Amino acid sequence: MTDRTRRIVTLAMPWMAMAVFLILWELACIVFDLPEIILPRPTKVFVVFVQRIDILLAFCWDTLWTTVLGFAIAIAGGVMLGVLIGASPLVYAGLYPLLIAFNAVPKVAIVPILMIWVGVGALPAVITAGVISFFPIVVNVATGLATIEPEMIDVLNSLGASRFEILRKVGIPRAMPYLFASLKVAITLAFIGSVISETVGGNRGIGFLMLSAGARNDTATTFAGLFAIAIMGVAMYAVCVLVEKRMTRWAFRGQLVS
């Protein structure tokens, strides 16, 4: 198989897998004669998606900007705290147990508290998106810094490098692949946080639209909302991958194509 053919097959595989999934879904609905209120056919969901595209776009925009804003806040806070934890064993020992305990709290449980503190609207969605995507960023950045080989640190110390220089020239570049690996996970979690907040106590966003459709037994619109979330998630994931390849191209230079 030539490189060109391999690239074409690689690009086509996700679309082929999605097509097979949708065909099996459609056939299952036909064979088992499933009522639309239980599981609508993909063709029906597609029709509703097209018919209500203006409404979906409006609600998707609300979800998208709250998610991206919360995600950006999580990146800023997560990178700073991750650097502190990874660079200092004392900070690691003091803060890491608290982070684990905080991450163990179901995020849906904090939405009512946020509504009491900041009210109903976009702000709880922004905070929830940031909180839920914060932990993986911190952990991966700290791991990237904490796993620098002791031999490398000894060599740099012998050459007169300061602790800050080691962190800036070796630690941070070393942590970059870990950071981008966490971002690809965190962006999907950010969407989950936004939609949870919109479902529990929002008045805008795709989660609120899905909740309203579910209350009317409009399952097709609910699934159209799920499709919209999936599309936004894949798009933002692709953005993270693109930025990763631009900023950490050196990390991919040794990969072999099978």
Side-chain angles (χ1 to χ4, degrees):
M1 183 182 295
T2 64
D3 291 342
R4 178 182 175 83
T5 304
R6 187 181 293 112
R7 286 195 297 268
I8 294 174
V9 172
T10 302
L11 292 174
M13 281 300 294
W15 299 100
M16 294 169 61
M18 178 60 67
V20 170
F21 171 72
L22 294 176
I23 290 171
L24 292 176
W25 179 355
E26 184 81 17
L27 291 176
C29 292
I30 295 173
V31 171
F32 296 104
D33 194 22
L34 296 176
E36 184 177 316
I37 193 174
I38 300 298
L39 184 65
R41 300 180 185 180
T43 50
K44 174 63 176 178
V45 176
F46 178 75
V47 170
V48 172
F49 193 96
V50 173
Q51 290 176 343
R52 302 180 180 176
I53 188 65
D54 53 340
I55 298 175
L56 287 169
L57 286 176
F59 281 90
C60 283
W61 169 248
D62 292 320
T63 299
L64 182 61
W65 79 260
T66 55
T67 300
V68 172
L69 181 57
F71 182 57
I73 294 172
I75 293 174
V79 168
M80 288 189 293
L81 187 58
V83 169
L84 288 176
I85 292 176
S88 173
L90 291 177
V91 177
Y92 180 95
L95 293 184
Y96 205 76
L98 293 177
L99 287 173
I100 295 175
F102 181 74
N103 189 61
V105 176
K107 301 308 179 287
V108 68
I110 70 173
V111 176
I113 300 175
L114 292 175
M115 292 171 59
I116 295 174
W117 288 350
V118 301
V120 177
L123 191 53
V126 172
I127 297 174
T128 308
V131 167
I132 201 171
S133 58
F134 176 77
F135 185 76
I137 298 174
V138 174
V139 170
N140 278 269
V141 172
T143 301
L145 292 175
T147 54
I148 302 175
E149 293 82 356
E151 296 81 3
M152 182 178 293
I153 296 178
D154 291 339
V155 170
L156 292 172
N157 285 330
S158 65
L159 294 175
S162 65
R163 188 172 182 179
F164 176 75
E165 288 175 331
I166 295 174
L167 177 65
R168 180 171 61 88
K169 295 183 179 180
V170 177
I172 293 178
R174 171 67 179 272
M176 290 296 286
Y178 290 85
L179 169 62
F180 282 102
S182 69
L183 295 185
K184 291 183 287 188
V185 175
I187 187 58
T188 58
L189 295 177
F191 276 105
I192 294 174
S194 292
V195 173
I196 286 175
S197 179
E198 293 165 355
T199 303
V200 174
N203 53 10
R204 294 289 297 175
I206 201 70
F208 177 74
L209 176 65
M210 292 169 58
L211 183 66
S212 302
R216 302 190 307 270
N217 292 327
D218 187 358
T219 312
T221 300
T222 303
F223 273 85
L226 289 176
F227 278 25
I229 296 170
I231 293 171
M232 289 189 293
V234 171
M236 292 304 300
Y237 183 94
V239 171
C240 291
V241 171
L242 181 62
V243 176
E244 177 187 23
K245 290 185 177 181
R246 294 285 184 179
M247 296 189 65
T248 60
R249 188 180 298 273
W250 52 269
F252 298 91
R253 67 182 184 274
Q255 289 186 355
L256 296 177
V257 180
S258 58

